[in-house]
């Protein structure tokens, strides 16, 4: 069955924190925090509009994103949950999802949301290195995040871990360890966000003072590709790579640094496929052959790469003339295989 979210953004509402990288108003393209009635009316209108575009055979969730949903005023939180619950009760959506911080899912707030049909909680973990969390002024520790995941899983929620790459003080070893610990903690899915330097953030000031250097596009693509491979092997779905481009982000002068690219996810997926193909072909030693590589459905463009970069690199490295890419239903994730290798059949390499 197809799946879809109806995202409702509640910008910065209830968030007293000031993480060094965050400027929610810029990310979401929204300024100010309207009154409860206005927020509710807007949310209802957005849900109704979205439902007209979603086919009835889609499993659909109402998703409260932005800010820290379980940290907003209890009356507003329950009003928004009540609104979404109406749609679940009417069978128009299947459940509710919300995003929040690891230190905002204590037992008291979880008791409050328990009567509502919330199925998934997304946690802004960002890093599981205390040194990185401290440098980012997150205001919670790695242990808080792991305890939050355990508490949510214990109450039966699906948990999505959101992590960031290229944060201050963060090395790739920290990021890989964060991914490994998220897997070990039993998250159901993840989102990966390379750090962008947004205007009017502490990170922008640090960059201007020469105290922070963002990742280059190539570094970020390489690190993300490695994590995609890791999560795929652990069977943990990656729901998204890179921030969604909003009008706010597109405004000139908004993104001051970092790996901002409209097709960042595609680049990282392409790199992951390239590495899988490289490994596979090393075993095959095709040696001048014409090769056909099978990929999961819908992944041809990621395997080929932008401007056919992946195919050119593979042909150059292994001395092949052509590589054809086909899709087959039985492959999932980043699994690929060679289904046809004519030269090898006629004249095996030695
Ligand atoms: S907790 Fe979330 S919304 Fe609040 S400042 Fe940090 S990143 Fe932004």
């Amino acid at each position: 069955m197809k799946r879809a979210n109806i995202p409702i953004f509640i910008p910065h509402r209830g968030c007293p924190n000031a993480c060094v990288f965050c400027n929610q108003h810029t990310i979401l393209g929204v300024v100010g925090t309207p009154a409860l009635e206005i927020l509710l009316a807007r949310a209802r209108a957005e849900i109704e509009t979205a439902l007209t575009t979603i086919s009835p055979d889609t499993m659909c969730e109402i998703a409260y994103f932005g800010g820290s949903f379980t940290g907003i005023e209890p009356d507003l939180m329950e009003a928004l949950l009540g609104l979404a619950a109406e749609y679940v009760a009417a069978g128009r959506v299947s459940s509710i999802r919300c995003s929040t911080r690891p230190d905002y899912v204590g037992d008291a707030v979880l008791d409050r949301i328990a009567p509502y049909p919330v199925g998934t909680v997304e946690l802004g973990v960002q890093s599981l290195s205390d040194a990185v969390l401290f440098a980012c002024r997150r205001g919670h520790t790695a242990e808080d995040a792991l305890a939050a995941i355990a508490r949510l899983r214990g109450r039966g929620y699906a948990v999505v871990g959101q992590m960031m790459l290229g944060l201050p003080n963060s090395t790739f070893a920290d990021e890989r360890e964060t991914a490994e610990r998220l897997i070990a903690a039993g998250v159901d899915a993840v989102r990966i966000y390379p750090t962008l330097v947004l205007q009017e953030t502490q990170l922008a000031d640090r960059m201007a003072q020469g105290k922070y250097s963002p990742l280059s596009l190539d570094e970020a693509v390489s690190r993300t590709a490695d994590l995609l491979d890791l999560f795929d092997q652990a069977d943990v779905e990656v729901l998204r790579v890179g921030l969604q481009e909003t009008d706010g982000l597109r405004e000139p002068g908004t993104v001051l640094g970092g790996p901002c690219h409209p097709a960042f996810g595609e680049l990282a997926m392409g790199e992951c496929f390239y590495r899988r193909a490289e490994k596979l072909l090393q075993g095959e030693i095709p040696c001048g052959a014409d090769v056909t590589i099978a990929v999961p459905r819908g992944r041809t463009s990621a395997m080929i790469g932008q401007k056919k970069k992946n195919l050119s690199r593979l042909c150059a490295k292994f001395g092949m003339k052509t590589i054809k890419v086909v899709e087959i239903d039985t492959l999932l994730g980043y699994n690929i295989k060679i289904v046809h290798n004519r030269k090898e059949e006629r004249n095996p390499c030695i």
Side-chain angles (χ1 to χ4, degrees):
M1 187 181 246
K2 286 181 282 179
R3 291 183 297 172
N5 281 338
I6 300 176
I8 309 291
F9 291 101
I10 316 290
H12 226 68
R13 187 117 194 178
C15 183
N17 301 286
C19 305
V20 297
F21 51 79
C22 179
N23 181 339
Q24 283 287 312
H25 299 314
T26 296
I27 293 172
L28 304 177
V30 182
V31 175
T33 49
L36 187 152
E37 300 71 31
I38 297 173
L39 266 175
L40 279 178
R42 271 191 203 162
R44 189 182 289 281
E46 283 177 41
I47 294 166
E48 288 294 341
T49 305
L51 284 173
T52 62
T53 65
I54 295 171
S55 63
D57 61 338
T58 303
M59 207 170 95
C60 180
E61 288 178 314
I62 292 174
Y64 290 120
F65 289 150
S68 301
F69 186 72
T70 56
I72 64 178
E73 304 93 301
D75 287 354
L76 174 61
M77 181 181 75
E78 292 196 32
L80 288 165
L81 288 173
L83 171 69
E86 279 177 34
Y87 286 86
V88 178
R92 300 179 71 192
V93 304
S94 60
S95 67
I96 306 170
R97 144 185 319 245
C98 64
S99 71
T100 191
R101 284 169 52 96
D103 49 349
Y104 286 178
V105 287
D107 282 320
V109 78
L110 292 185
D111 286 345
R112 251 180 207 279
I113 70 171
Y116 299 95
V118 175
T120 304
V121 177
E122 301 213 9
L123 275 187
V125 171
Q126 317 315 5
S127 173
L128 287 172
S129 153
D130 282 335
V132 174
L133 292 171
F134 184 75
C136 294
R137 304 200 176 159
R138 282 289 290 172
H140 64 79
T141 64
E143 218 35 61
D144 293 333
L146 292 172
I149 294 170
R151 202 174 309 116
L152 289 165
R153 293 187 71 227
R155 287 185 179 240
Y157 295 109
V159 180
V160 176
Q162 302 176 355
M163 65 173 289
M164 294 179 68
L165 307 183
L167 287 169
N169 278 7
S170 183
T171 64
F172 181 52
D174 293 321
E175 291 154 10
R176 212 181 144 86
E177 193 181 330
T178 294
E180 286 167 348
R181 293 177 81 189
L182 284 174
I183 292 166
V187 296
D188 297 272
V190 293
R191 295 180 193 265
I192 304 172
Y193 297 116
T195 304
L196 301 181
V197 183
L198 303 180
Q199 65 172 353
E200 294 170 25
T201 59
Q202 295 175 57
L203 207 52
D205 296 340
R206 289 191 197 180
M207 188 174 76
Q209 293 159 7
K211 293 178 182 165
Y212 171 75
S213 299
L215 294 179
S216 68
L217 183 61
D218 285 350
E219 274 174 313
V221 164
S222 174
R223 290 185 186 196
T224 306
D226 193 273
L227 298 188
L228 288 175
D229 189 77
L230 185 69
F231 285 122
D232 186 57
Q233 288 185 48
D235 225 6
V236 172
E237 191 180 359
V238 179
L239 299 180
R240 179 159 193 96
V241 172
L243 279 177
Q244 197 158 355
E245 274 226 315
T246 59
D247 290 346
L249 276 185
R250 274 189 286 266
E251 279 287 312
T254 297
V255 179
L256 305 180
C260 188
H261 190 288
F264 184 84
E266 188 78 7
L267 292 178
M269 276 192 277
E271 181 62 20
C272 187
F273 273 114
Y274 171 79
R275 291 178 188 180
R276 289 274 176 107
E278 189 182 38
K279 210 181 268 179
L280 192 66
L281 290 167
Q282 260 152 11
E284 291 277 326
I285 320 172
C287 199
D290 301 323
V291 169
T292 299
I293 296 176
V295 299
R297 196 143 296 282
R299 299 300 197 195
T300 296
S301 64
M303 179 68 253
I304 289 173
Q306 291 208 327
K307 298 183 183 158
K308 299 192 178 174
K309 182 180 164 198
N310 285 349
L311 300 192
S312 311
R313 282 198 287 172
L314 289 168
C315 283
K317 177 154 190 171
F318 295 102
M320 291 174 295
K321 281 191 295 194
T322 62
I323 300 175
K324 195 173 155 197
V325 179
V326 296
E327 296 183 358
I328 57 177
D329 292 326
T330 48
L331 290 172
L332 296 171
Y334 289 86
N335 287 310
I336 60 173
K337 66 180 186 179
I338 293 177
V339 291
H340 185 56
N341 185 337
R342 275 176 301 173
K343 180 78 179 269
E344 214 184 5
E345 281 165 9
R346 290 196 303 269
N347 182 18
C349 297
I350 45 171

